[in-house]
Amino acid sequence: MTAFFKQIQTTYIYHWIIWIILIFFKLIMDYSVFGSFLLVMNLKIFLVSLILFYVNYYVFLPYIIRQTPKKILIITVSFAVVYVSLMIIFFPPFPQHPPFPPKDFPRHGRMRPFHHDINLYDVFFRIGIFSMIFSTLLFFVDKWMENGKKISALEFERQSSELKILREQINPHFFFNALNSIYSLSIIQSKDTPRVILILSDIMRYVLNNKNKQKNNLNDEITNIKKYVEIQSIRFNKFNNIHCKFDGNFDSYEIEPLLLLTFVENAFKYADLRKGPLNIKVHLENGLLDFDIRNFYENKNYEKSDDSKLGIENTKMKLNLLYPDKYKLDISDNGSEYKINLKLQLN
């Protein structure tokens, strides 16, 4: 019962708005024509209208739509035939005199007495036909809106499920490469080994804590990327050709967690720093994020990997789900250099 009243107060609130408008309009018309609000008569009319309206709305129409098309046709035709037949049988005789003196209408005070009674014909045919048509129209409008909400909810659920799957697909190469870096440093007993372990610990904590969040602070994302770049810079310190530039007020915006890290990880995964530098540029202005990353790679290493583009494809799907019509992703490959440019509107 509580759920029913809650439904009336929310989903069908406009029903009551329409009823109030109709009652107000009827009272104004009565006052302008008859010089009276005719409260007793209107109370009877709208009480009958409400009963017929909601009997049709909650009982008859729900029963009809559950039937087969053939049964719906039979019930509808039968109802129409019976209704029209009864309307003809109970049709009242035409008055011999007009209800108002023609020469005096609609002068105030010259009206014939108005009868407040409502007969059977009025209930079932004048008021009834209005209530039936009105309730049928609103019933199918409500069903259309309800179906639209269900479709939207199912689409949202589908997208949420897809996004959850994408967020769960943390590339194991991320940790594998980081552990390889630690192993390489430990072999030569590098003094940077403890620091790399500490940085990797921070990154792992960040990844695990933020992979299921709706949005994350952009500055935290950039900080995490810098930590990852620091590990790789220590790993490839002999090349000294990793260049990064970050420009903008990142703390004022939010972004999908780990969205940009995929591009950075993919670049380091396939980069061949002997052939050229790896460049990362991030610029933010008026909510427009311009993310650019370029790296050279060895053809045979890139083509041998079965999942070489899996991370990029997952990121594209995230962008389509979370930022439709708000991003532009350009990817180019000339055979030796891989370029990615992402322009993303965050506000």
Side-chain angles (χ1 to χ4, degrees):
M1 185 65 71
T2 304
F4 173 76
F5 284 112
K6 184 177 180 181
Q7 184 184 43
I8 290 179
Q9 292 172 359
T10 55
T11 308
Y12 301 115
I13 188 67
Y14 70 93
H15 282 215
W16 303 108
I17 294 175
I18 293 174
W19 281 113
I20 291 171
I21 292 174
L22 289 174
I23 292 171
F24 180 77
F25 179 77
K26 182 69 168 62
L27 292 175
I28 294 301
M29 287 296 295
D30 287 346
Y31 184 79
S32 62
V33 175
F34 300 107
S36 172
F37 286 119
L38 304 175
L39 294 176
V40 176
M41 184 201 69
N42 282 312
L43 180 62
K44 295 178 181 178
I45 288 176
F46 284 107
L47 182 61
V48 172
S49 297
L50 283 170
I51 292 172
L52 293 176
F53 179 98
Y54 287 107
V55 166
N56 185 53
Y57 188 94
Y58 284 112
V59 179
F60 185 69
L61 290 175
Y63 171 77
I64 286 291
I65 64 173
R66 290 195 299 267
Q67 308 306 312
T68 62
K70 184 177 180 180
K71 279 190 175 182
I72 292 175
L73 180 62
I74 293 173
I75 293 172
T76 304
V77 172
S78 301
F79 178 81
V81 170
V82 172
Y83 194 87
V84 172
S85 300
L86 290 174
M87 185 169 61
I88 295 173
I89 293 172
F90 289 100
F91 195 86
F94 290 101
Q96 297 181 353
H97 301 285
F100 310 106
K103 63 179 181 178
D104 293 331
F105 181 81
R107 192 181 305 171
H108 182 71
R110 298 295 184 92
M111 305 294 183
R112 287 180 177 271
F114 190 87
H115 298 285
H116 291 188
D117 295 331
I118 301 176
N119 56 39
L120 193 64
Y121 180 85
D122 292 327
V123 170
F124 286 101
F125 302 112
R126 288 180 179 171
I127 302 173
I129 198 168
F130 164 79
S131 298
M132 298 290 284
I133 294 174
F134 184 34
S135 60
T136 301
L137 289 175
L138 278 187
F139 178 82
F140 285 106
V141 168
D142 289 339
K143 285 296 177 184
W144 175 73
M145 294 174 64
E146 182 181 339
N147 290 336
K149 290 180 180 179
K150 287 181 179 179
I151 292 172
S152 298
L154 289 173
E155 179 65 17
F156 177 78
E157 184 177 348
R158 181 188 67 81
Q159 292 185 357
S160 298
S161 299
E162 289 181 2
L163 187 58
K164 184 177 181 181
I165 293 172
L166 292 173
R167 285 171 172 169
E168 292 291 342
Q169 293 177 351
I170 301 175
N171 196 333
H173 290 285
F174 171 80
F175 296 113
F176 179 75
N177 291 335
L179 290 173
N180 273 343
S181 301
I182 296 173
Y183 176 76
S184 301
L185 293 171
S186 65
I187 291 295
I188 62 175
Q189 297 182 349
S190 171
K191 63 179 182 179
D192 293 317
T193 303
R195 174 164 178 75
V196 172
I197 294 175
L198 184 62
I199 295 173
L200 179 59
S201 175
D202 289 340
I203 294 175
M204 291 178 67
R205 186 182 301 108
Y206 181 83
V207 169
L208 294 175
N209 289 341
N210 293 280
K211 67 176 182 177
N212 291 322
K213 284 187 176 180
Q214 296 296 322
K215 291 290 178 64
N216 200 27
N217 186 271
L218 180 57
N219 190 60
D220 294 338
E221 287 290 308
I222 298 298
T223 300
N224 189 59
I225 290 173
K226 290 178 180 178
K227 289 180 180 179
Y228 183 80
V229 171
E230 185 177 353
I231 290 179
Q232 300 302 328
S233 297
I234 295 172
R235 178 186 177 189
F236 299 110
N237 63 342
K238 64 180 180 180
F239 295 106
N240 196 29
N241 57 354
I242 299 173
H243 308 295
C244 299
K245 184 179 181 182
F246 301 91
D247 180 28
N249 183 19
F250 303 117
D251 198 48
S252 300
Y253 295 91
E254 293 184 334
I255 194 172
E256 164 69 10
L258 312 176
L259 183 71
L260 303 178
L261 183 63
T262 302
F263 295 118
V264 178
E265 177 195 351
N266 199 68
F268 277 104
K269 179 180 176 181
Y270 299 107
D272 188 346
L273 297 177
R274 294 169 298 183
K275 296 184 65 174
L278 188 152
N279 295 297
I280 300 173
K281 294 181 180 179
V282 183
H283 178 74
L284 179 68
E285 185 175 358
N286 296 326
L288 180 63
L289 181 70
D290 189 347
F291 179 85
D292 189 88
I293 186 166
R294 306 181 181 195
N295 67 279
F296 291 87
Y297 65 90
E298 186 67 32
N299 284 326
K300 59 180 182 180
N301 293 334
Y302 184 76
E303 292 173 357
K304 279 173 62 178
S305 178
D306 294 333
D307 61 344
S308 60
K309 295 184 179 180
L310 179 61
I312 300 297
E313 291 302 318
N314 285 350
T315 303
K316 286 180 180 179
M317 292 179 67
K318 283 186 181 180
L319 288 168
N320 287 330
L321 289 171
L322 296 170
Y323 302 99
D325 303 322
K326 292 185 178 181
Y327 81 95
K328 181 181 180 183
L329 180 63
D330 293 321
I331 300 177
S332 61
D333 182 3
N334 62 9
S336 62
E337 185 181 16
Y338 199 74
K339 301 177 182 179
I340 293 178
N341 180 261
L342 171 65
K343 289 182 172 59
L344 179 62
Q345 189 66 48
L346 296 177
N347 58 349

